[in-house]
Amino acid sequence: MIISFTKMNGAGNDFVVLDNRDLAYNLSKEQIAFLCDRHRGIGADGLLAAEPTDGEADFRFRYYNADGGEAEMCGNGARCFGRFTASLLPEPADVVSFETIAGTLSAKLIGDDVEVAMSDPFDMQAELAIEVEGLSYPIHSVNTGVPHTVAFVPNLAELDVVKLGAAVRYHSHFAPAGTNANFAQVIETGHIAIRTYERGVEGETLACGTGMVACALYHHLLTEAPSPIKVDVAGGETLLIGFEKSGDDFVNVTLTGPAVVTFTGEIEI
């Protein structure tokens, strides 16, 4: 089977993107993992597929991690998906909506950037009563579409993100599904830097949109930094996380940053 694809990246978090509106592609977990393999396939942190929807949204958003497992959401993927699917609309538009497992989202094209309206975060738990060898700082958790932990550290550059991230990701507290693990450093109030170990990729990625949201929200809770919060990622870009507070809850959360087409092509599987 020949597959036509678009390779995209959002702040260095890269994806294979497929137009599957006709449902011609019914890929297995192994086939998706092959496409994401950086040595034998195209190479990506995950795969996005645009599918038809019976609801009011424009498209259905399907996201698969590099291991082939389907996940609820991906913030950087949602920005790439928004730019990709906007070109598929019957009439030109700068706003596109799509259904995800985490809820219906929308993306707005703003020049080279895309602003994604994220799902409302839930299940916030500060200072979890867990211990991770080598990490002596409080660990917080939240679901921003997918589960995340956040730990603020004094020096990101010295951190062994793969070792500590794997220890958090596979900690029994988060079994059986596991969690994504983020480590953040405060540059100044309202501006943080993060590094992320992603579940399903099983390693550090250059950026993670839902992880940025998790870190920004906890930065606000710990410092009262106002919206929007600037987040530097390992890929070199700075993105913006916007939000509003409604009592103890966060609402109207947005993620704004780049979404770039790298190349297009075909591959046989």
Side-chain angles (χ1 to χ4, degrees), residues 10-68:
N13 201 187
D14 60 339
F15 309 95
V16 174
V17 190
L18 306 181
D19 178 359
N20 197 30
R21 288 174 294 168
D22 59 3
L23 300 179
Y25 304 134
N26 184 22
L27 302 177
S28 67
K29 182 176 181 178
E30 292 74 22
Q31 287 173 319
I32 293 170
F34 164 75
L35 292 174
C36 293
D37 189 290
R38 297 191 183 279
H39 301 286
R40 297 177 176 84
I42 301 165
D45 292 323
L47 182 143
L48 302 166
E51 296 187 355
T53 174
D54 295 328
E56 297 181 357
D58 296 312
F59 302 94
R60 184 184 183 195
F61 170 103
R62 302 290 297 275
Y63 174 64
Y64 302 87
N65 285 313
D67 64 0

Side-chain angles (χ1 to χ4, degrees), residues 92-106:
D94 60 3
V95 177
V96 60
S97 61
F98 40 92
E99 295 176 356
T100 77
I101 297 175
T104 299
L105 309 180
S106 64

Side-chain angles (χ1 to χ4, degrees), residues 7 10 28 38 56 61 65 70 82 85 97 117-118 123-124 131 153-154 164-165 186 206 219 227 235 237 261:
K7 178 72 182 291
S28 67
R38 297 191 183 279
E56 297 181 357
F61 170 103
N65 285 313
E70 187 168 11
T85 54
S97 61
M118 306 286 284
D123 196 22
M124 297 193 77
E131 294 185 2
V153 300
L164 292 176
V186 177
L206 295 180
H219 178 57
S227 171
E237 284 87 352
V261 173

Side-chain angles (χ1 to χ4, degrees), residues 224-260:
E224 298 186 350
S227 171
I229 289 174
K230 294 189 289 186
V231 182
D232 295 351
V233 296
E237 284 87 352
T238 299
L239 296 91
L240 292 178
I241 308 299
F243 55 87
E244 297 177 10
K245 285 295 293 294
S246 177
D248 293 331
D249 299 323
F250 288 94
V251 296
N252 298 326
V253 178
T254 59
L255 166 64
T256 304
V260 179

